[in-house]
Amino acid sequence: MSIAIVGAGAIGGFLGVRLAHAGEDVTFIARGANLEAIQANGMRLIEEDGSEIHVTNLKATKSMAEAGKHDIVLLTVKAHQVGPIAADLHHLIGPDTMVVTMQNGIPWWYFSQGHGGDLTGTHLETADPGGLIAQHLDPKHVIGSVVYPAAVLTEPGVVQVVEGHRFGLGELDGSMSPRVQSLAQTLIKAGFRAPVTSDIRAEIWLKLWGNLSFNPISALAHATLVDICQFPETRALAADMMREAETIANRLGITFKLGIERRIAGAEKVGAHKTSMLQDVEAGRPIELEALVGSIIELGRLTDTPTPHIGTVYALMRLLAQSLERAQGRLSITPA
């Protein structure tokens, strides 16, 4: 398989190193210091157990046109980064190319193929501002994915795995197609777990259920997952936000397979892990707020569901993001 990975950050790097190590033809679409490091030295992966994989049998470029058509495109940039690059994706996509969307939050294609119901075809502005992604990427190429691993880009060209190796996969119409089965086998060969589901939207909701609460609370309070879950007030706030989201999901035909307390307990077990949103605040990077939180408020309006707790946390987080952007700064707690 020829595989283009758009974004050589933590998750893209994790996938790319293992896939290249398994013998796949991997090309990274990257930029800046990360691109330079990969071109010069390849990419290094530090696994959970401390073992390392260093691969040099991969290509890296900043130009999708230069990279050309591929069998698989793994879209591993963050949700707010997809729109700005959407117009260039056609360079990577042939008639049978699979484009695997690996963003957190509600995806731009949510109400496209196979969803059904009164909201079929509805455009979500928070997931796709201005409709740029839908304009340039045909959903027929798309396979949905839910990213479970936690990893960190510790320096250009070096990724450290925190925990996990599972990537849920699913066709938008729920079919168990030969192509999604082939994609799963490619990931399994590289050492990942890649279960295929007939309801990728339900799996997206299950992960988002925690992300929409833990991520902004973590970023506002500068707290790890275990801190949030063991502090009574923030644990209760997360539960309130999750109840509001569950009501929205139920109105969209989604039923969760586990309860709120069990979902919170799962996050607590991850331990002293900083969420991606907290990492972005500390690094001064743009924050993935709309896909994770703003989209839920938009879905609340579409389903006539009040979201007072989600809305309050969203307002605070949006103001923090604006303040950091204006100052071009970052915010972290350091020892006195």
Side-chain angles (χ1 to χ4, degrees):
M1 288 281 190
S2 61
I3 303 172
I5 300 179
V6 183
I11 295 301
F14 184 19
L15 286 159
V17 170
R18 279 203 179 180
L19 286 164
H21 188 63
E24 306 296 347
D25 178 11
V26 173
T27 299
F28 278 119
I29 311 299
R31 61 185 181 181
N34 210 26
L35 173 61
E36 293 173 6
I38 297 168
Q39 289 176 329
N41 303 307
M43 199 155 199
R44 186 159 58 95
L45 178 70
I46 304 170
E47 298 276 16
E48 285 181 72
D49 62 4
S51 63
E52 295 190 15
I53 303 174
H54 184 199
V55 295
T56 56
N57 60 322
L58 45 76
K59 299 178 284 290
T61 176
K62 66 179 179 181
S63 169
M64 296 189 204
E66 180 182 304
K69 304 289 191 287
H70 284 71
D71 298 317
I72 299 170
V73 175
L74 302 181
L75 199 55
T76 61
V77 294
K78 292 191 175 181
H80 59 270
Q81 297 172 321
V82 180
I85 64 171
D88 288 330
L89 288 173
H90 70 95
H91 293 297
L92 302 173
I93 301 172
D96 299 317
T97 299
M98 292 178 275
V99 180
V100 188
T101 54
M102 295 183 145
Q103 288 66 52
N104 287 321
I106 296 294
W108 62 273
W109 49 257
Y110 191 89
F111 290 116
S112 65
Q113 299 179 354
H115 180 268
D118 295 339
L119 293 175
T120 296
T122 298
H123 166 69
L124 290 172
E125 182 65 17
T126 47
D128 183 13
L132 287 175
I133 308 172
Q135 180 182 343
H136 295 289
L137 182 53
D138 191 330
K140 74 179 183 181
H141 289 287
V142 172
I143 289 177
S145 178
V146 181
V147 176
Y148 289 100
V152 180
L153 186 72
T154 57
E155 61 182 273
V158 181
V159 171
Q160 182 165 8
V161 182
V162 177
E163 59 95 23
H165 57 276
R166 177 185 172 197
F167 293 86
L169 303 172
E171 291 279 10
L172 307 196
D173 64 2
S175 64
M176 293 292 180
S177 67
R179 70 173 190 172
V180 75
Q181 299 286 356
S182 172
L183 172 64
Q185 288 305 310
T186 298
L187 292 177
I188 290 168
K189 178 185 169 187
F192 297 107
R193 289 181 60 205
V196 178
T197 177
S198 60
D199 192 352
I200 191 63
R201 290 170 180 83
E203 191 158 347
I204 285 169
W205 267 103
L206 189 58
K207 183 183 180 189
L208 177 59
W209 204 23
N211 281 348
L212 72 93
S213 54
F214 296 127
N215 271 262
I217 293 172
S218 174
L220 289 166
H222 290 265
T224 67
L225 287 177
V226 70
D227 294 331
I228 294 168
C229 296
Q230 292 184 355
F231 190 70
E233 287 84 351
T234 50
R235 187 185 184 102
L237 175 58
D240 286 335
M241 295 173 73
M242 292 167 74
R243 285 189 195 94
E244 293 170 4
E246 184 175 19
T247 301
I248 295 168
N250 291 165
R251 291 180 179 180
L252 292 172
I254 302 295
T255 301
F256 293 138
K257 298 176 183 178
L258 50 86
I260 289 174
E261 280 304 313
R262 194 169 153 200
R263 181 65 180 85
I264 293 175
E268 186 174 358
K269 286 180 182 177
V270 175
H273 173 63
K274 293 181 179 181
T275 69
S276 60
M277 197 174 287
L278 175 55
Q279 290 178 43
D280 288 343
V281 166
E282 292 186 337
R285 294 188 294 256
I287 296 166
E288 204 172 18
L289 183 60
E290 297 306 325
L292 292 181
V293 189
S295 61
I296 306 304
I297 296 172
E298 184 174 3
L299 289 174
R301 289 195 295 267
L302 289 170
T303 58
D304 295 319
T305 308
T307 54
H309 294 92
I310 298 173
T312 298
V313 171
Y314 170 77
L316 293 170
M317 194 64 229
R318 192 174 178 194
L319 179 57
L320 174 59
Q322 178 180 286
S323 299
L324 291 172
E325 183 179 3
R326 282 179 177 172
Q328 295 186 347
R330 63 187 66 185
L331 187 61
S332 62
I333 297 174
T334 57

